[in-house]
Amino acid sequence: MQVASDSETLRLLSESGMARGGLFCVEVDIPSLGFFAHMGGVMSMLRLCERLALKPCIRLVSCNYLEPTRGPCFLEYFFDGPALSAAESRLVSGAPLARIESFFDCPGWSQDDFPTLAQSHVFWSKYYSLRPEVSAHVERIAAEKQIGVDVAGIHYRGTDKIREAAAVDTESAIRHIRTSLALHPDIDRVFVASDSHGFLDTIASSLNGFSVSYCKDELRSSSEQPIHLAPVADQYRLGHEALINCLLLAKCGVLVKNMSDLSGWASVFNPSQKVYLMNRPSGEGVKWLGFPERELIERDCFVPGLRL
């Protein structure tokens, strides 16, 4: 909900119970969204907290990632958030957090009000840090697969990311990847993240001369249904695998991707990496662009020669 002024925003937040005692207290329940679409919404809320001098107390409770035995907020499975004082904890526990089922229900929230990638890296690091066990897991895989700045990350989302831009078929994706890699002759290893079994079956044999690695035994889609909307037995694993792949892509010096919040967030965790986009929004797709893809589009981060 866009509001004309910060004072009016703060009044509406207070009336709704979202702002109390200097805290921004919100539960987000939007199971239609993927993991990093949730994260993007949180980033915009952090921007709001910065403007209004509020400490964020944000819980992500959507059922597609929630594993109740691990706690009531799936963001806290992976990140340590702002520490609350004893008085603040009593304030939070004294009444339920205001629950929203659309980010647009939050006064002051705007799809257009996001920090730059460089700013967002600072914002996120200010409020959240990876839990030690998650960080150790990423470092172990990165060492095992030799993922670093001399590796190209490839992200291919093959299911539902078609509202913003036209889908990229496997043949076109391979062509765009080869074009991008040709600009970096010093790179001979690639790390691939994908929700598509078919793409993984194809890319290793299509990149002659490159060592190709990816995380095996992951949840992937064998149909057109996005994995975050498919019935799975372990919601924690669904979020864990998405985040781990993103963090591994962030360790790469070069990233070649189609439109996806998952790989877009790799540039939040590593805003200095070189990015090549394999598709671009057209027509009505532009209006659906949000964080972080919009900045990559505005920076013209496209594969050289990509057709309009």
Side-chain angles (χ1 to χ4, degrees):
M1 179 194 302
Q2 290 183 280
V3 183
S5 68
D6 285 352
S7 60
E8 178 68 3
T9 299
L10 190 55
R11 183 185 68 81
L12 292 172
L13 287 171
S14 298
E15 289 179 354
S16 67
M18 296 183 192
R20 58 178 88 155
L23 299 176
F24 178 78
C25 303
V26 174
E27 281 189 346
V28 178
D29 186 8
I30 317 176
S32 61
L33 296 184
F35 187 90
F36 286 98
H38 280 91
M39 297 264 284
V42 173
M43 181 64 78
S44 186
M45 289 178 169
L46 296 182
R47 175 84 154 189
L48 188 61
C49 290
E50 286 281 310
R51 287 203 340 250
L52 302 178
L54 297 172
K55 179 187 285 190
C57 180
I58 302 169
R59 290 179 183 163
L60 302 184
V61 301
S62 306
C63 62
N64 50 335
Y65 294 104
L66 198 66
E67 184 58 53
T69 60
R70 293 180 179 271
C73 170
F74 68 77
L75 186 62
E76 294 175 357
Y77 303 166
F78 313 108
F79 294 93
D80 290 319
L84 300 181
S85 68
E88 289 170 336
S89 296
R90 287 194 297 270
L91 190 63
V92 170
S93 61
L97 273 62
R99 180 169 292 204
I100 61 172
E101 297 180 352
S102 167
F103 286 116
F104 291 101
D105 293 338
C106 176
W109 190 91
S110 170
Q111 188 175 359
D112 300 318
D113 187 20
F114 287 97
T116 65
L117 289 174
Q119 290 171 335
S120 67
H121 178 79
V122 175
F123 273 13
W124 192 262
S125 300
K126 175 180 178 179
Y127 292 106
Y128 292 101
S129 60
L130 274 177
R131 293 180 67 87
E133 63 271 22
V134 177
S135 180
H137 185 69
V138 171
E139 294 302 326
R140 180 183 62 77
I141 296 176
E144 174 187 310
K145 299 185 180 299
Q146 300 181 10
I147 300 172
V149 294
D150 57 346
V151 173
I154 309 295
H155 183 232
Y156 179 77
R157 181 164 178 174
T159 53
D160 66 325
K161 201 67 171 180
I162 58 175
R163 183 171 64 173
E164 296 92 335
V168 182
D169 61 65
T170 300
E171 182 178 343
S172 297
I174 297 297
R175 184 172 67 252
H176 294 323
I177 291 166
R178 286 173 174 160
T179 299
S180 302
L181 291 178
L183 300 174
H184 301 272
D186 53 320
I187 288 179
D188 61 5
R189 298 197 313 278
V190 300
F191 169 74
V192 184
S194 179
D195 61 354
S196 168
H197 279 292
F199 184 75
L200 290 175
D201 291 342
T202 301
I203 189 168
S205 61
S206 301
L207 293 181
N208 295 329
F210 289 88
S211 174
V212 178
S213 65
Y214 56 89
C215 293
K216 298 180 180 179
D217 301 322
E218 290 194 337
L219 298 168
R220 305 188 198 281
S221 177
S222 57
S223 66
E224 295 302 311
Q225 185 180 33
I227 190 64
H228 72 272
L229 296 180
V232 296
D234 189 344
Q235 283 79 6
Y236 171 80
R237 181 182 175 192
L238 189 62
H240 183 268
E241 290 182 355
L243 178 60
I244 295 304
N245 272 294
C246 175
L247 293 169
L248 291 170
L249 290 171
K251 286 186 168 293
C252 300
V254 173
L255 175 61
V256 188
K257 65 189 282 315
N258 54 355
M259 310 265 319
S260 172
D261 291 335
L262 185 154
S263 46
W265 265 79
S267 295
V268 175
F269 295 123
N270 179 10
S272 65
Q273 70 179 174
K274 178 65 176 178
V275 179
Y276 297 97
L277 296 174
M278 294 190 284
N279 56 350
R280 65 173 71 229
S282 58
E284 291 295 298
V286 175
K287 74 179 183 181
W288 295 109
L289 281 178
F291 178 87
E293 301 284 57
R294 181 172 295 180
E295 182 176 337
L296 297 174
I297 297 294
E298 292 173 348
R299 284 165 44 186
D300 201 30
C301 296
F302 298 106
V303 173
L306 182 68
R307 294 179 182 177
L308 296 174

